[in-house]
Amino acid sequence: MKKPLKIILIIVGVILVLGVAIATITMTAMNSTSNSTEYKIGNTNIPSIKAVLEKRSVSGVSTETSNNITKKVYTYSKIKNVNGDLVKYVNYLKQNNGFLAITDFDLNTQNGTLQLGKNSSESGKVIILDIQWDLGTYSIALRSGSGSINKKASTK
């Protein structure tokens, strides 16, 4: 076999192996995010929607940082009963994790937004969940920042 052909075959083989390795790592990372029963923001873990409702998979995750505030957004799509999911999840967070409703909301509407919050385990910080929903989809955005939440938040 000629030397140039041998070198080309080796290069193609290396590229193929690297491509398979990168694809495997990416799929593993996405699968672990989709299967996680907790969201992590700062040093705080919050039960994910999957922890409450089991068979839910994340269709997208994004992270953005602005003014030293990190925001993670988990998006879920192809959901058959958006309102039922969110009623169960919001009630779970309020009853079991000390979250309070910061805004008034009505989960019986086809689309909308709501905001829950609680004081973080980190002194002087709060955890805020912004939840948006529409037909067949919802997103849960988590952020942490300085502040405190008093018990007078809406109890809806």
Side-chain angles (χ1 to χ4, degrees):
M1 190 179 280
K2 293 183 179 180
K3 216 172 194 176
L5 182 59
K6 198 175 197 180
I7 291 172
I8 290 173
L9 287 175
I10 290 171
I11 291 172
V12 168
V14 168
I15 291 171
L16 184 62
V17 168
L18 285 174
V20 169
I22 290 170
T24 302
I25 291 168
T26 302
M27 293 298 285
T28 302
M30 281 303 290
N31 195 31
S32 68
T33 299
S34 297
N35 291 322
S36 178
T37 57
E38 292 184 325
Y39 302 127
K40 184 168 177 65
I41 189 79
N43 293 329
T44 304
N45 293 329
I46 299 163
S48 73
I49 196 124
K50 183 176 174 130
V52 178
L53 300 170
E54 297 177 5
K55 295 182 180 181
R56 299 296 179 272
S57 292
V58 174
S59 57
V61 179
S62 65
T63 303
E64 39 186 88
T65 302
S66 176
N67 298 325
N68 292 325
I69 297 174
T70 299
K71 179 178 173 180
K72 286 188 179 180
V73 182
Y74 297 84
T75 303
Y76 299 81
S77 57
K78 298 181 183 175
I79 305 298
K80 292 180 183 172
N81 186 356
V82 169
N83 301 78
D85 280 11
L86 294 179
V87 165
K88 289 176 188 169
Y89 187 59
V90 167
N91 286 339
Y92 180 87
L93 291 177
K94 288 168 58 178
Q95 293 168 3
N96 299 299
N97 291 93
F99 276 91
L100 299 170
I102 297 174
T103 58
D104 288 330
F105 58 89
D106 182 359
L107 287 171
N108 293 315
T109 61
Q110 184 175 349
N111 56 48
T113 61
L114 68 90
Q115 193 172 68
L116 302 176
K118 76 174 196 170
N119 292 315
S120 173
S121 57
E122 297 177 67
S123 181
K125 290 196 170 193
V126 295
I127 303 292
I128 304 292
L129 268 71
D130 296 298
I131 301 176
Q132 293 183 317
W133 68 94
D134 205 342
L135 196 59
T137 186
Y138 47 79
S139 64
I140 300 170
L142 296 92
R143 56 193 161 100
S144 177
S146 298
S148 65
I149 295 177
N150 66 36
K151 299 291 182 191
K152 290 187 178 183
S154 173
T155 57
K156 202 171 193 182

